[in-house]
Amino acid sequence: MRDWILKVENLTKIYGDGCPNCLKSETNKCPFCRATIAVNSVSLALYSGEILGIMGESGSGKSTLVRSLYFDISPTLGEAYLNGEERNIFNFNSQEKRKLRNFNMGMVYQSPYRGLNFEITAGGNVAEKLLMANWRSYSNIRRRLIDLFEKTELPLNRMDDFPATLSGGMQQRIQIAKALANNPEILFLDEPTSGLDLSVQARLLDLIKKIQQELKISIILVSHDLGVIRLLADRVLVMREGRIIESGLTDQILEDPQHPYTQLLVNSML
Amino acid sequence: MQDIILKVRNLSKKFNLHLLGGKVITAFQNASFVLKRGEFLGISGKSGSGKSSLIKCIYRTYLSTEGEIVYYPKNGMPIDLARCLDEEIIDLRHRKIGYVSQFFYAIPRVSCLKIVTQTLIQQGVDEDGAKRRAKNMLLRLLIPERLFDAYPSTFSGGERQRVNIAQALVKKAELLLLDEPTASLDKTSRAIVLDEILKLKKKGISVIGIFHDDEELKRFADRILVLEEGKIKEIYKNDKNS
């Protein structure tokens, strides 16, 4: 069996002061102190080389969960471990966290405005990630950029264009190129294809599948789209009101969901 | 005593339909049987008798409600397919257990050769070898070479189903689960598929299969398990097949 690569225990993110009753709350709004419990006591394991899907409706805490793991958001409680590292990564100092973000992890956001700097060129955006990982030689960086553009099927002649002049699909590819720049072990994809038209979405999904198979990278994929989950994920976690309410093999969750909410979701599929 | 590959004990599957106010539907109950290594067990019964559900529980597309499904791999420890970790099932699906469904959900924009090659790569076969074996299997199942780089979503129902069968038969699984694999095929391709299944059986692969045609079933099955309204009515030795 495959080894785990990332383990998360009781991850919780509370917006507001919080109180001892927050974690017992049924919904993501604490009835006692009115704090928002965006993620409530989530535990999971990501195994090497797998795509783990996280599904659930807007506001269920999916994005907060992956953004916490990428250190965009600091969790209120909880622990996360990488295999081979004994310390909780949330207790790392900021320099260590930056190193993990640059070398071990990659992130693709739903909105390119969050993932890209629109003030610099497409190539510059990817190069930035290389520079942060101490790449110094201009010619090496240029070569790596060409390699990444080819891998993500981006036209080389758009490298010096600004993100605002690129199509939505291309902007997502730039984000993927940037995320893959330093050969990370873990890739977080937060609704990577939402809002794109179908043919662009299909090509991006292809690309993600291809990258996963070629690079044997482990992926956490957040999506509210069951079609995307069915296509890509080996296993799925279902989130609602900040909690994981059900988990299983993708085909099992889609064909034999146990929780009333998952049954509702699956039965709402077109 | 013959070597056993699968032991199913008191297995039940109930669906709790929360959207219908918690209505419970029983697919099958108290199923107990064994599958010997190298044996072909046919499952027969009317539509709605629980045949597919039983196969899906073994493959874990359905979660069993009660009971156990102990799988004895050739090398390694026995494992309860009804209760083991999802990761363990994924691993078994990649390496040991094959499944052909009635309907094939074709991944859009992945060529048929790639689909079949991929199942071998997952099993640890190197890329060249995987490609060669995949091509061979597709040709044997009458998928012409000109379709190799086409997407199965554009194929006819019969062609698509043969790709589905190819990807399950190409890997040398220890246990093969067949859920009416030939239902959508014409006579010629049906005969060819049945022939390939027979070859695998001769190689010692254990099979549990549903065939909508009882004549077909009797051509292969060593024993036949009869389901009636979710209960095992009988399991008998198939004398026609020796």
Side-chain angles (χ1 to χ4, degrees):
Chain A
M1 211 176 86
R2 294 184 276 194
D3 284 330
W4 63 272
I5 185 161
L6 172 71
K7 221 169 225 172
V8 178
E9 284 164 19
N10 291 313
L11 179 68
T12 297
K13 176 65 184 175
I14 299 173
Y15 289 101
D17 293 335
C19 70
N21 293 308
C22 282
L23 295 184
K24 289 180 228 147
S25 170
E26 293 269 313
T27 68
N28 59 11
K29 206 79 190 163
C30 175
F32 297 93
C33 70
R34 307 304 298 157
T36 302
I37 311 113
V39 177
N40 193 339
S41 316
V42 163
S43 300
L44 62 89
L46 175 69
Y47 290 84
S48 91
E50 80 168 339
I51 302 185
L52 176 64
I54 301 182
M55 68 187 220
E57 60 196 2
S58 320
S60 58
K62 315 181 294 287
S63 293
T64 308
L65 172 62
V66 288
R67 281 188 209 158
S68 302
L69 296 174
Y70 193 60
F71 306 118
D72 279 343
I73 293 171
S74 52
T76 312
L77 293 166
E79 294 155 33
Y81 299 92
L82 292 175
N83 202 342
E85 169 63 60
E86 276 172 32
R87 286 181 308 148
N88 173 3
I89 61 172
F90 295 133
N91 291 339
F92 278 24
N93 65 37
S94 57
Q95 195 194 345
E96 289 171 310
K97 283 181 183 167
R98 211 174 314 127
K99 208 173 153 201
L100 273 191
R101 257 172 84 114
N102 287 335
F103 289 93
N104 302 67
M105 299 171 174
M107 169 72 111
V108 174
Y109 299 90
Q110 173 174 7
S111 162
Y113 289 95
R114 200 184 279 274
L116 299 176
N117 180 345
F118 275 61
E119 306 288 312
I120 57 175
T121 62
N125 266 286
V126 184
E128 199 178 38
K129 185 101 177 179
L130 293 170
L131 289 170
M132 283 192 286
N134 302 323
W135 286 60
R136 287 296 173 260
S137 140
Y138 176 80
S139 59
N140 284 348
I141 290 177
R142 193 78 189 170
R143 219 174 302 133
R144 178 68 179 149
L145 284 185
I146 291 173
D147 181 36
L148 286 163
F149 267 56
E150 281 171 349
K151 199 170 265 147
T152 51
E153 295 157 16
L154 277 160
L156 292 177
N157 60 10
R158 304 303 295 271
M159 200 182 273
D160 299 323
D161 290 354
F162 286 89
T165 67
L166 303 175
S167 70
M170 280 188 204
Q171 290 171 347
Q172 293 311 69
R173 283 167 200 273
I174 304 277
Q175 282 207 70
I176 295 174
K178 183 177 168 183
L180 295 176
N182 297 314
N183 289 320
E185 310 161 71
I186 302 171
L187 185 60
F188 301 112
L189 303 173
D190 188 1
E191 304 273 9
T193 62
S194 306
L196 298 170
D197 61 63
L198 277 181
S199 64
V200 176
Q201 170 168 328
R203 290 221 308 273
L204 260 183
L205 295 176
D206 261 9
L207 176 69
I208 293 167
K209 189 109 207 170
K210 191 183 94 188
I211 284 167
Q212 194 268 333
Q213 283 166 353
E214 276 172 17
L215 307 178
K216 310 273 179 247
I217 199 167
S218 311
I219 297 178
I220 295 187
L221 165 75
V222 168
S223 183
H224 68 276
D225 185 333
L226 301 192
V228 169
I229 295 278
R230 175 166 62 175
L231 205 59
L232 293 180
D234 303 296
R235 290 191 301 133
V236 194
L237 309 175
V238 186
M239 282 189 78
R240 191 192 191 199
E241 303 280 354
R243 296 175 191 271
I244 293 177
I245 54 165
E246 181 165 4
S247 69
L249 298 167
T250 304
D251 55 325
Q252 182 254 302
I253 293 290
L254 295 179
E255 289 199 40
D256 186 22
Q258 308 291 306
H259 192 281
Y261 174 71
T262 320
Q263 291 188 358
L264 181 71
L265 265 187
V266 168
N267 281 295
S268 312
M269 188 163 39
L270 292 178
Chain B
M1 206 183 83
Q2 213 176 335
D3 197 9
I4 283 168
I5 183 164
L6 200 71
K7 196 183 266 172
V8 174
R9 255 194 25 207
N10 295 325
L11 196 71
S12 300
K13 175 60 190 167
K14 296 184 174 109
F15 293 97
N16 191 340
L17 306 178
H18 295 283
L19 296 183
L20 299 178
K23 184 173 176 180
V24 175
I25 290 178
T26 302
F28 63 85
Q29 54 189 324
N30 283 322
S32 299
F33 63 91
V34 295
L35 180 70
K36 293 170 202 146
R37 204 174 290 283
E39 183 183 33
F40 191 120
L41 179 70
I43 301 181
S44 130
K46 286 192 194 122
S47 150
S49 58
K51 309 187 294 288
S52 284
S53 295
L54 180 57
I55 291 223
K56 284 185 175 179
C57 279
I58 298 171
Y59 197 60
R60 216 1 207 272
T61 297
Y62 287 170
L63 279 181
S64 305
T65 312
E66 287 165 78
E68 55 182 37
I69 307 164
V70 184
Y71 171 66
Y72 300 86
K74 220 172 220 160
N75 309 302
M77 296 291 286
I79 182 166
D80 181 359
L81 303 180
R83 300 282 169 264
C84 67
L85 293 174
D86 294 328
E87 280 300 315
E88 292 175 300
I89 292 282
I90 290 174
D91 186 50
L92 286 173
R93 285 180 177 187
H94 284 170
R95 297 186 304 114
K96 311 261 189 188
I97 302 179
Y99 172 65
V100 184
S101 52
Q102 262 171 84
F103 307 104
F104 182 40
Y105 173 69
I107 307 160
R109 300 168 51 88
V110 179
S111 77
C112 84
L113 180 60
K114 183 119 187 253
I115 289 175
V116 182
T117 308
Q118 204 52 51
T119 61
L120 286 169
I121 290 175
Q122 275 171 343
Q123 225 185 3
V125 180
D126 69 280
E127 191 156 347
D128 287 344
K131 220 172 203 167
R132 203 183 49 242
R133 275 170 61 186
K135 279 183 179 167
N136 262 327
M137 179 52 80
L138 285 167
L139 287 174
R140 290 214 301 273
L141 293 178
L142 303 184
I143 302 287
E145 199 151 1
R146 67 188 157 80
L147 289 183
F148 282 6
D149 54 2
Y151 308 137
S153 48
T154 63
F155 288 11
S156 75
E159 284 166 343
R160 203 182 303 172
Q161 183 60 2
R162 276 179 276 140
V163 175
N164 187 19
I165 293 166
Q167 66 159 355
L169 299 192
V170 74
K171 62 176 175 183
K172 289 173 184 134
E174 281 184 16
L175 173 64
L176 193 55
L177 305 170
L178 305 172
D179 188 355
E180 302 210 20
T182 58
S184 59
L185 299 181
D186 60 31
K187 220 172 160 187
T188 327
S189 37
R190 182 175 293 181
I192 285 159
V193 168
L194 295 179
D195 207 47
E196 289 298 326
I197 295 172
L198 264 180
K199 271 192 215 159
L200 287 176
K201 186 182 174 253
K202 281 193 186 122
K203 283 184 187 155
I205 287 170
S206 317
V207 187
I208 300 183
I210 305 170
F211 288 83
H212 76 153
D213 181 27
D214 265 358
E215 288 307 305
E216 259 175 28
L217 195 57
K218 285 186 174 148
R219 265 188 59 202
F220 308 106
D222 299 307
R223 285 186 305 150
I224 293 175
L225 182 159
V226 184
L227 272 172
E228 203 176 87
E229 290 177 13
K231 289 184 189 137
I232 296 182
K233 194 181 161 209
E234 57 172 337
I235 303 176
Y236 65 90
K237 215 167 171 277
N238 180 22
D239 292 328
K240 275 195 186 171
N241 178 32
S242 50

